[in-house]
Amino acid sequence: MSKTGPGTGLGTHPYLLGFDQLERLAERAAKGAEGYPPYNIEHLAPDGFRITLAVAGFAEADLSITVEDRQLVIRGRQGDTADERVFLHRGIASRAFQRSFVLAEGIEVEAAALENGLLHIDLRRLKPNTIVKTIPISRT
């Protein structure tokens, strides 16, 4: 039986110092789990990724991509043209959306391109700098 609540999560394990944000990141990722728009995630060897979202009907001006606090957020909002047109059948969604992805430490957004109704966002894992730091011990 697992306990929940303050002081019982992964971030409180004595060997995982400073990982208390991990649970908050997982919660944020779960909030972006809505099914629209559909998307793919590809691994591009050796250290790249590509997120592709199906955004048919959206122009570049209708889309925004931001990264804040290791969270990639893609938003889409089309201008309302329904007043000008009379639909006999409306089966193509034109709703606004927000899709979020939590990025691991060292993952950077490299580029984004809109092509044939697909929004491609290329990500790259940066090579970490291995730093060894010697800490002097002083007498107190």
Side-chain angles (χ1 to χ4, degrees), residues 61-88:
D62 300 331
L63 301 167
S64 73
I65 303 169
T66 58
V67 177
E68 182 178 338
D69 192 26
R70 295 191 307 178
Q71 185 168 4
L72 172 65
V73 180
I74 302 105
R75 292 181 180 90
R77 180 181 281 315
Q78 291 177 317
D80 190 20
T81 59
D83 297 338
E84 304 163 8
R85 297 161 44 185
V86 176
F87 291 96
L88 299 178

PDB file of all heavy atoms in Angstrom, residues 61-88:
ATOM      1  N   ALA A  61       0.037  31.767 -38.672  1.00  0.00           N
ATOM      2  CA  ALA A  61      -0.409  32.835 -37.773  1.00  0.00           C
ATOM      3  C   ALA A  61      -1.384  32.331 -36.711  1.00  0.00           C
ATOM      4  O   ALA A  61      -1.565  32.981 -35.684  1.00  0.00           O
ATOM      5  CB  ALA A  61      -1.053  33.958 -38.581  1.00  0.00           C
ATOM      6  N   ASP A  62      -2.004  31.172 -36.932  1.00  0.00           N
ATOM      7  CA  ASP A  62      -2.950  30.598 -35.980  1.00  0.00           C
ATOM      8  C   ASP A  62      -2.267  29.784 -34.886  1.00  0.00           C
ATOM      9  O   ASP A  62      -2.919  29.348 -33.941  1.00  0.00           O
ATOM     10  CB  ASP A  62      -3.948  29.675 -36.691  1.00  0.00           C
ATOM     11  CG  ASP A  62      -4.778  30.381 -37.742  1.00  0.00           C
ATOM     12  OD1 ASP A  62      -5.012  31.590 -37.589  1.00  0.00           O
ATOM     13  OD2 ASP A  62      -5.191  29.708 -38.707  1.00  0.00           O
ATOM     14  N   LEU A  63      -0.967  29.521 -35.029  1.00  0.00           N
ATOM     15  CA  LEU A  63      -0.233  28.628 -34.134  1.00  0.00           C
ATOM     16  C   LEU A  63       0.814  29.381 -33.331  1.00  0.00           C
ATOM     17  O   LEU A  63       1.402  30.342 -33.829  1.00  0.00           O
ATOM     18  CB  LEU A  63       0.458  27.524 -34.950  1.00  0.00           C
ATOM     19  CG  LEU A  63      -0.463  26.638 -35.787  1.00  0.00           C
ATOM     20  CD1 LEU A  63       0.353  25.811 -36.767  1.00  0.00           C
ATOM     21  CD2 LEU A  63      -1.299  25.743 -34.887  1.00  0.00           C
ATOM     22  N   SER A  64       1.057  28.933 -32.111  1.00  0.00           N
ATOM     23  CA  SER A  64       2.158  29.474 -31.320  1.00  0.00           C
ATOM     24  C   SER A  64       2.843  28.326 -30.594  1.00  0.00           C
ATOM     25  O   SER A  64       2.191  27.370 -30.170  1.00  0.00           O
ATOM     26  CB  SER A  64       1.681  30.537 -30.326  1.00  0.00           C
ATOM     27  OG  SER A  64       0.983  29.937 -29.263  1.00  0.00           O
ATOM     28  N   ILE A  65       4.165  28.452 -30.476  1.00  0.00           N
ATOM     29  CA  ILE A  65       4.981  27.447 -29.796  1.00  0.00           C
ATOM     30  C   ILE A  65       5.823  28.183 -28.771  1.00  0.00           C
ATOM     31  O   ILE A  65       6.546  29.115 -29.117  1.00  0.00           O
ATOM     32  CB  ILE A  65       5.895  26.702 -30.789  1.00  0.00           C
ATOM     33  CG1 ILE A  65       5.074  26.057 -31.897  1.00  0.00           C
ATOM     34  CG2 ILE A  65       6.743  25.664 -30.054  1.00  0.00           C
ATOM     35  CD1 ILE A  65       5.906  25.537 -33.050  1.00  0.00           C
ATOM     36  N   THR A  66       5.723  27.767 -27.502  1.00  0.00           N
ATOM     37  CA  THR A  66       6.503  28.397 -26.446  1.00  0.00           C
ATOM     38  C   THR A  66       7.152  27.313 -25.586  1.00  0.00           C
ATOM     39  O   THR A  66       6.660  26.190 -25.503  1.00  0.00           O
ATOM     40  CB  THR A  66       5.635  29.292 -25.540  1.00  0.00           C
ATOM     41  OG1 THR A  66       4.590  28.513 -24.964  1.00  0.00           O
ATOM     42  CG2 THR A  66       5.037  30.455 -26.307  1.00  0.00           C
ATOM     43  N   VAL A  67       8.261  27.690 -24.958  1.00  0.00           N
ATOM     44  CA  VAL A  67       8.917  26.829 -23.975  1.00  0.00           C
ATOM     45  C   VAL A  67       9.096  27.660 -22.721  1.00  0.00           C
ATOM     46  O   VAL A  67       9.679  28.733 -22.766  1.00  0.00           O
ATOM     47  CB  VAL A  67      10.290  26.316 -24.472  1.00  0.00           C
ATOM     48  CG1 VAL A  67      10.964  25.489 -23.388  1.00  0.00           C
ATOM     49  CG2 VAL A  67      10.144  25.519 -25.745  1.00  0.00           C
ATOM     50  N   GLU A  68       8.551  27.150 -21.619  1.00  0.00           N
ATOM     51  CA  GLU A  68       8.696  27.841 -20.345  1.00  0.00           C
ATOM     52  C   GLU A  68       8.834  26.796 -19.252  1.00  0.00           C
ATOM     53  O   GLU A  68       8.003  25.891 -19.136  1.00  0.00           O
ATOM     54  CB  GLU A  68       7.469  28.713 -20.069  1.00  0.00           C
ATOM     55  CG  GLU A  68       7.573  29.489 -18.789  1.00  0.00           C
ATOM     56  CD  GLU A  68       6.369  30.380 -18.551  1.00  0.00           C
ATOM     57  OE1 GLU A  68       5.668  30.724 -19.513  1.00  0.00           O
ATOM     58  OE2 GLU A  68       6.136  30.730 -17.391  1.00  0.00           O
ATOM     59  N   ASP A  69       9.891  26.929 -18.480  1.00  0.00           N
ATOM     60  CA  ASP A  69      10.127  26.035 -17.350  1.00  0.00           C
ATOM     61  C   ASP A  69      10.090  24.572 -17.791  1.00  0.00           C
ATOM     62  O   ASP A  69       9.379  23.758 -17.220  1.00  0.00           O
ATOM     63  CB  ASP A  69       9.102  26.319 -16.245  1.00  0.00           C
ATOM     64  CG  ASP A  69       9.457  25.642 -14.935  1.00  0.00           C
ATOM     65  OD1 ASP A  69      10.651  25.384 -14.699  1.00  0.00           O
ATOM     66  OD2 ASP A  69       8.534  25.359 -14.154  1.00  0.00           O
ATOM     67  N   ARG A  70      10.825  24.262 -18.850  1.00  0.00           N
ATOM     68  CA  ARG A  70      10.959  22.906 -19.409  1.00  0.00           C
ATOM     69  C   ARG A  70       9.638  22.325 -19.910  1.00  0.00           C
ATOM     70  O   ARG A  70       9.480  21.119 -20.012  1.00  0.00           O
ATOM     71  CB  ARG A  70      11.619  21.957 -18.415  1.00  0.00           C
ATOM     72  CG  ARG A  70      13.037  22.328 -18.120  1.00  0.00           C
ATOM     73  CD  ARG A  70      13.768  21.274 -17.363  1.00  0.00           C
ATOM     74  NE  ARG A  70      13.047  20.879 -16.168  1.00  0.00           N
ATOM     75  CZ  ARG A  70      13.459  19.941 -15.350  1.00  0.00           C
ATOM     76  NH1 ARG A  70      14.563  19.312 -15.574  1.00  0.00           N
ATOM     77  NH2 ARG A  70      12.766  19.634 -14.274  1.00  0.00           N
ATOM     78  N   GLN A  71       8.678  23.165 -20.247  1.00  0.00           N
ATOM     79  CA  GLN A  71       7.417  22.695 -20.795  1.00  0.00           C
ATOM     80  C   GLN A  71       7.216  23.312 -22.177  1.00  0.00           C
ATOM     81  O   GLN A  71       7.184  24.534 -22.322  1.00  0.00           O
ATOM     82  CB  GLN A  71       6.248  23.049 -19.878  1.00  0.00           C
ATOM     83  CG  GLN A  71       4.942  22.478 -20.353  1.00  0.00           C
ATOM     84  CD  GLN A  71       3.853  22.573 -19.307  1.00  0.00           C
ATOM     85  OE1 GLN A  71       4.039  23.133 -18.244  1.00  0.00           O
ATOM     86  NE2 GLN A  71       2.699  22.024 -19.611  1.00  0.00           N
ATOM     87  N   LEU A  72       7.100  22.442 -23.188  1.00  0.00           N
ATOM     88  CA  LEU A  72       6.817  22.863 -24.556  1.00  0.00           C
ATOM     89  C   LEU A  72       5.304  22.940 -24.699  1.00  0.00           C
ATOM     90  O   LEU A  72       4.598  21.969 -24.423  1.00  0.00           O
ATOM     91  CB  LEU A  72       7.397  21.846 -25.539  1.00  0.00           C
ATOM     92  CG  LEU A  72       7.040  22.000 -27.009  1.00  0.00           C
ATOM     93  CD1 LEU A  72       7.621  23.290 -27.574  1.00  0.00           C
ATOM     94  CD2 LEU A  72       7.533  20.799 -27.802  1.00  0.00           C
ATOM     95  N   VAL A  73       4.796  24.115 -25.096  1.00  0.00           N
ATOM     96  CA  VAL A  73       3.354  24.314 -25.231  1.00  0.00           C
ATOM     97  C   VAL A  73       3.052  24.760 -26.652  1.00  0.00           C
ATOM     98  O   VAL A  73       3.607  25.751 -27.133  1.00  0.00           O
ATOM     99  CB  VAL A  73       2.820  25.364 -24.220  1.00  0.00           C
ATOM    100  CG1 VAL A  73       1.322  25.563 -24.381  1.00  0.00           C
ATOM    101  CG2 VAL A  73       3.161  24.961 -22.801  1.00  0.00           C
ATOM    102  N   ILE A  74       2.177  24.024 -27.327  1.00  0.00           N
ATOM    103  CA  ILE A  74       1.745  24.360 -28.679  1.00  0.00           C
ATOM    104  C   ILE A  74       0.268  24.740 -28.590  1.00  0.00           C
ATOM    105  O   ILE A  74      -0.552  23.978 -28.062  1.00  0.00           O
ATOM    106  CB  ILE A  74       1.921  23.176 -29.651  1.00  0.00           C
ATOM    107  CG1 ILE A  74       3.386  22.727 -29.689  1.00  0.00           C
ATOM    108  CG2 ILE A  74       1.473  23.560 -31.050  1.00  0.00           C
ATOM    109  CD1 ILE A  74       3.631  21.474 -28.954  1.00  0.00           C
ATOM    110  N   ARG A  75      -0.050  25.933 -29.091  1.00  0.00           N
ATOM    111  CA  ARG A  75      -1.431  26.413 -29.058  1.00  0.00           C
ATOM    112  C   ARG A  75      -1.889  26.711 -30.480  1.00  0.00           C
ATOM    113  O   ARG A  75      -1.100  27.183 -31.302  1.00  0.00           O
ATOM    114  CB  ARG A  75      -1.541  27.687 -28.226  1.00  0.00           C
ATOM    115  CG  ARG A  75      -1.311  27.494 -26.758  1.00  0.00           C
ATOM    116  CD  ARG A  75      -1.460  28.823 -25.994  1.00  0.00           C
ATOM    117  NE  ARG A  75      -1.236  28.642 -24.574  1.00  0.00           N
ATOM    118  CZ  ARG A  75      -0.046  28.753 -23.988  1.00  0.00           C
ATOM    119  NH1 ARG A  75       1.021  29.050 -24.696  1.00  0.00           N
ATOM    120  NH2 ARG A  75       0.072  28.559 -22.694  1.00  0.00           N
ATOM    121  N   GLY A  76      -3.161  26.477 -30.724  1.00  0.00           N
ATOM    122  CA  GLY A  76      -3.756  26.806 -32.009  1.00  0.00           C
ATOM    123  C   GLY A  76      -5.112  27.439 -31.821  1.00  0.00           C
ATOM    124  O   GLY A  76      -5.906  26.974 -31.006  1.00  0.00           O
ATOM    125  N   ARG A  77      -5.338  28.516 -32.550  1.00  0.00           N
ATOM    126  CA  ARG A  77      -6.633  29.196 -32.499  1.00  0.00           C
ATOM    127  C   ARG A  77      -6.891  29.786 -33.877  1.00  0.00           C
ATOM    128  O   ARG A  77      -6.158  30.632 -34.342  1.00  0.00           O
ATOM    129  CB  ARG A  77      -6.642  30.293 -31.450  1.00  0.00           C
ATOM    130  CG  ARG A  77      -7.995  31.024 -31.376  1.00  0.00           C
ATOM    131  CD  ARG A  77      -8.060  32.140 -30.383  1.00  0.00           C
ATOM    132  NE  ARG A  77      -8.248  31.865 -28.980  1.00  0.00           N
ATOM    133  CZ  ARG A  77      -9.103  31.015 -28.396  1.00  0.00           C
ATOM    134  NH1 ARG A  77      -9.847  30.245 -29.125  1.00  0.00           N
ATOM    135  NH2 ARG A  77      -9.213  30.918 -27.110  1.00  0.00           N
ATOM    136  N   GLN A  78      -7.977  29.312 -34.511  1.00  0.00           N
ATOM    137  CA  GLN A  78      -8.343  29.821 -35.828  1.00  0.00           C
ATOM    138  C   GLN A  78      -9.287  31.002 -35.678  1.00  0.00           C
ATOM    139  O   GLN A  78     -10.073  31.053 -34.739  1.00  0.00           O
ATOM    140  CB  GLN A  78      -9.024  28.738 -36.661  1.00  0.00           C
ATOM    141  CG  GLN A  78      -8.093  27.617 -37.065  1.00  0.00           C
ATOM    142  CD  GLN A  78      -8.836  26.539 -37.836  1.00  0.00           C
ATOM    143  OE1 GLN A  78      -9.924  26.151 -37.471  1.00  0.00           O
ATOM    144  NE2 GLN A  78      -8.217  26.059 -38.897  1.00  0.00           N
ATOM    145  N   GLY A  79      -9.171  31.922 -36.632  1.00  0.00           N
ATOM    146  CA  GLY A  79     -10.103  33.040 -36.653  1.00  0.00           C
ATOM    147  C   GLY A  79     -11.503  32.541 -36.936  1.00  0.00           C
ATOM    148  O   GLY A  79     -11.696  31.556 -37.646  1.00  0.00           O
ATOM    149  N   ASP A  80     -12.502  33.197 -36.380  1.00  0.00           N
ATOM    150  CA  ASP A  80     -13.888  32.764 -36.545  1.00  0.00           C
ATOM    151  C   ASP A  80     -14.438  33.291 -37.861  1.00  0.00           C
ATOM    152  O   ASP A  80     -14.680  34.484 -38.010  1.00  0.00           O
ATOM    153  CB  ASP A  80     -14.734  33.249 -35.368  1.00  0.00           C
ATOM    154  CG  ASP A  80     -16.119  32.633 -35.360  1.00  0.00           C
ATOM    155  OD1 ASP A  80     -16.302  31.582 -35.999  1.00  0.00           O
ATOM    156  OD2 ASP A  80     -17.014  33.205 -34.717  1.00  0.00           O
ATOM    157  N   THR A  81     -14.629  32.381 -38.817  1.00  0.00           N
ATOM    158  CA  THR A  81     -15.201  32.755 -40.114  1.00  0.00           C
ATOM    159  C   THR A  81     -16.599  32.156 -40.293  1.00  0.00           C
ATOM    160  O   THR A  81     -17.160  32.209 -41.371  1.00  0.00           O
ATOM    161  CB  THR A  81     -14.295  32.281 -41.270  1.00  0.00           C
ATOM    162  OG1 THR A  81     -14.161  30.856 -41.176  1.00  0.00           O
ATOM    163  CG2 THR A  81     -12.944  32.946 -41.218  1.00  0.00           C
ATOM    164  N   ALA A  82     -17.153  31.578 -39.224  1.00  0.00           N
ATOM    165  CA  ALA A  82     -18.457  30.922 -39.318  1.00  0.00           C
ATOM    166  C   ALA A  82     -19.573  31.896 -39.661  1.00  0.00           C
ATOM    167  O   ALA A  82     -20.574  31.513 -40.251  1.00  0.00           O
ATOM    168  CB  ALA A  82     -18.772  30.197 -38.008  1.00  0.00           C
ATOM    169  N   ASP A  83     -19.426  33.170 -39.302  1.00  0.00           N
ATOM    170  CA  ASP A  83     -20.464  34.159 -39.584  1.00  0.00           C
ATOM    171  C   ASP A  83     -20.608  34.408 -41.084  1.00  0.00           C
ATOM    172  O   ASP A  83     -21.680  34.761 -41.552  1.00  0.00           O
ATOM    173  CB  ASP A  83     -20.146  35.481 -38.879  1.00  0.00           C
ATOM    174  CG  ASP A  83     -20.138  35.340 -37.362  1.00  0.00           C
ATOM    175  OD1 ASP A  83     -20.761  34.383 -36.859  1.00  0.00           O
ATOM    176  OD2 ASP A  83     -19.508  36.173 -36.700  1.00  0.00           O
ATOM    177  N   GLU A  84     -19.523  34.213 -41.828  1.00  0.00           N
ATOM    178  CA  GLU A  84     -19.523  34.504 -43.253  1.00  0.00           C
ATOM    179  C   GLU A  84     -19.977  33.320 -44.100  1.00  0.00           C
ATOM    180  O   GLU A  84     -20.328  33.505 -45.261  1.00  0.00           O
ATOM    181  CB  GLU A  84     -18.109  34.904 -43.695  1.00  0.00           C
ATOM    182  CG  GLU A  84     -17.541  36.063 -42.916  1.00  0.00           C
ATOM    183  CD  GLU A  84     -16.036  36.167 -43.088  1.00  0.00           C
ATOM    184  OE1 GLU A  84     -15.468  35.442 -43.917  1.00  0.00           O
ATOM    185  OE2 GLU A  84     -15.437  36.981 -42.369  1.00  0.00           O
ATOM    186  N   ARG A  85     -19.975  32.121 -43.536  1.00  0.00           N
ATOM    187  CA  ARG A  85     -20.252  30.922 -44.323  1.00  0.00           C
ATOM    188  C   ARG A  85     -21.460  30.181 -43.762  1.00  0.00           C
ATOM    189  O   ARG A  85     -21.707  30.182 -42.571  1.00  0.00           O
ATOM    190  CB  ARG A  85     -19.024  30.015 -44.309  1.00  0.00           C
ATOM    191  CG  ARG A  85     -17.850  30.704 -44.964  1.00  0.00           C
ATOM    192  CD  ARG A  85     -16.497  30.163 -44.643  1.00  0.00           C
ATOM    193  NE  ARG A  85     -16.310  28.727 -44.643  1.00  0.00           N
ATOM    194  CZ  ARG A  85     -15.177  28.152 -44.287  1.00  0.00           C
ATOM    195  NH1 ARG A  85     -14.145  28.872 -43.938  1.00  0.00           N
ATOM    196  NH2 ARG A  85     -15.062  26.848 -44.287  1.00  0.00           N
ATOM    197  N   VAL A  86     -22.186  29.517 -44.661  1.00  0.00           N
ATOM    198  CA  VAL A  86     -23.332  28.706 -44.267  1.00  0.00           C
ATOM    199  C   VAL A  86     -22.964  27.260 -44.548  1.00  0.00           C
ATOM    200  O   VAL A  86     -22.732  26.874 -45.695  1.00  0.00           O
ATOM    201  CB  VAL A  86     -24.596  29.097 -45.066  1.00  0.00           C
ATOM    202  CG1 VAL A  86     -25.758  28.185 -44.714  1.00  0.00           C
ATOM    203  CG2 VAL A  86     -24.941  30.553 -44.833  1.00  0.00           C
ATOM    204  N   PHE A  87     -22.893  26.445 -43.498  1.00  0.00           N
ATOM    205  CA  PHE A  87     -22.509  25.040 -43.626  1.00  0.00           C
ATOM    206  C   PHE A  87     -23.753  24.168 -43.721  1.00  0.00           C
ATOM    207  O   PHE A  87     -24.683  24.309 -42.915  1.00  0.00           O
ATOM    208  CB  PHE A  87     -21.686  24.591 -42.410  1.00  0.00           C
ATOM    209  CG  PHE A  87     -20.326  25.207 -42.324  1.00  0.00           C
ATOM    210  CD1 PHE A  87     -20.106  26.342 -41.546  1.00  0.00           C
ATOM    211  CD2 PHE A  87     -19.263  24.663 -43.017  1.00  0.00           C
ATOM    212  CE1 PHE A  87     -18.855  26.906 -41.456  1.00  0.00           C
ATOM    213  CE2 PHE A  87     -17.999  25.223 -42.936  1.00  0.00           C
ATOM    214  CZ  PHE A  87     -17.795  26.343 -42.159  1.00  0.00           C
ATOM    215  N   LEU A  88     -23.775  23.261 -44.691  1.00  0.00           N
ATOM    216  CA  LEU A  88     -24.815  22.240 -44.761  1.00  0.00           C
ATOM    217  C   LEU A  88     -24.415  21.046 -43.906  1.00  0.00           C
ATOM    218  O   LEU A  88     -25.266  20.334 -43.383  1.00  0.00           O
ATOM    219  CB  LEU A  88     -25.049  21.809 -46.204  1.00  0.00           C
ATOM    220  CG  LEU A  88     -25.517  22.932 -47.143  1.00  0.00           C
ATOM    221  CD1 LEU A  88     -25.668  22.407 -48.552  1.00  0.00           C
ATOM    222  CD2 LEU A  88     -26.810  23.536 -46.632  1.00  0.00           C
TER     223      LEU A  88
END
